[in-house]
Amino acid sequence: MEPNKAEKAALTDLEFTVLGIVWKRAPCTAYAIMREFFSSPSSFYRGSAGAIYPLARRLEKKGLLKASTGKRGRRRHVAYALSRTGLAALRKWLAPPLPEGAAAITFDPLRTRTYFLAALAPEQRRAFAAHARDELVKQLDIVGAEVDRYRKSGDDLSALAMEGAVHVIRARIAWMTELGNKLAR
Amino acid sequence: MEPNKAEKAALTDLEFTVLGIVWKRAPCTAYAIMREFFSSPSSFYRGSAGAIYPLARRLEKKGLLKASTGKRGRRRHVAYALSRTGLAALRKWLAPPLPEGAAAITFDPLRTRTYFLAALAPEQRRAFAAHARDELVKQLDIVGAEVDRYRKSGDDLSALAMEGAVHVIRARIAWMTELGNKLAR
DNA sequence: CCGCTCATGTAACTGGTTACATGATTTA
DNA sequence: TAAATCATGTAACCAGTTACATGAGCGG
C-alpha cells in the first residue's frame, strides 16, 4: 500500500498558524480564527472565510484538530481544539531545525522599488525616500501599540514576537533615512 | 462603451518588477528576466517560466512592453524593451504616494513561530532562538556579498536597495539575540 | 425593529507554482 | 561528443482571494 498522500503532505504556513491560534484560543470557532487574522496588524494573510472554513475542516479530517459542537441559545457552533497529533505537529513546526528559507530575506515593496529608483528624476527619488520613511513611522506607532497590548494581556511571547516587527520597522526607517541622505548629496 | 477592463486592471508587484528589470536590461529576453530572478537572493518570486513567459506577452499586449525579434545564428529570440507607456507605468509605481500597505509589516516565518513558542518546552524555546540567530547570520554573509557585487558593478541604487535587506537582517539578529537572553532568565 | 456581531459556508477567480517538453548553441 | 546553457513554451495544480448568501442572537 502507498502511504496516504493526504496524511503526509506538508502543511502550509497558514495551516500551521491556524494550528497555533487554536492552541492558544481553544475551544475556538472558525469565526474566532478569522477575527484573529482581522485584528492582526500584519496583512499577509487576510484570513478570509473562503480560506479558513475549508482549512479547519481539512485539519480536522487529518486528525490535527478535533471538533466539538456547542450551542448558545438554540444556535449551534463548531469549536475546535488541538488533538494530540495536532500539538505534536505544531511543536515540530516550531522546533529547530527551521525549514530552508525561514530566515531568508523577505519580500519588501520598498526594496523592490529602490532597485529601479534610477528611473525617476532625482527630486522624485528623494520624495520617495521621505514618503516611505513617513509611512514607516506611522507603522511604528501601530505595532508599538500592539506590543503594549500583548504586554498588558500578559502574553509575553507574543509581545516579544511583535517586537520583532518593531525592530524591523526601525531598521527600515534607518535605511530610508540613509537613502534620503545619500540622494541629497 | 465600457472602458477596456484588461487595459485598466492594476498590475501585480511581479509585473511591475518585470517592467523594472526590462527597463534596466533592455533589450531583454524572457529567459534573461528569469535568470534575474534566479540570481536574486530573495526567494519570494521564483521567476518560473510558467509565470514569466505568459506575463511578458501580457505586458506586450497591454502596450507596456514592445517586442523585437533578433537572431543569433539561425536561432530566433524575442527581446523586450519598455514602451513609452511602460516607462510611465513604472514611474507611477515608483513615485509617491505608495499604495496602501507598502510600508506595512511583512511576513516573517520567525515572528509567526515566536507567537506560539510557549507551546515548546523552555529548553526548546532557547534552541529556537539560537538556531534562528545562526541562520540569520548566514544570510547576512549572502546579502553582504550581494551589496559588494552591486557596488563593484557601479549600480549604487541596487546596492542601496540590498542594504535594506542587510539592515533588516541585522535587526532580526538583534531581536533573536534579545529573545535568547530573555528566555535564558 | 434596525443594525451590528456571531457564525457558516460556497463559487468563481487569480496569480502564482511544479513539472514537463522541445530544440538550438556553446563549452569543456 | 557530451553536458551545460540559451530559449520558449504548455498543462495541471494550488492556496489563497473576492464576493456573495444565509440566518441567529443581541443591544440601543
Side-chain angles (χ1 to χ4, degrees), chain A residues 29 31 35 50 53 57 75 78:
Chain A
T29 66
Y31 182 79
R35 264 188 330 192
Y53 282 88
R57 269 174 306 182
R75 184 180 177 190
V78 181

Side-chain angles (χ1 to χ4, degrees), chain B residues 12-29:
Chain B
T12 64
D13 281 318
L14 178 59
E15 286 171 319
F16 279 117
T17 304
V18 166
L19 236 41
I21 290 170
V22 173
W23 169 76
K24 271 197 181 179
R25 298 260 183 270
C28 175
T29 65

Side-chain angles (χ1 to χ4, degrees), chain A residues 75-90:
Chain A
R75 184 180 177 190
R76 304 195 142 267
H77 58 92
V78 181
Y80 293 101
L82 281 197
S83 70
R84 201 183 296 265
T85 45
L87 181 58
L90 177 64

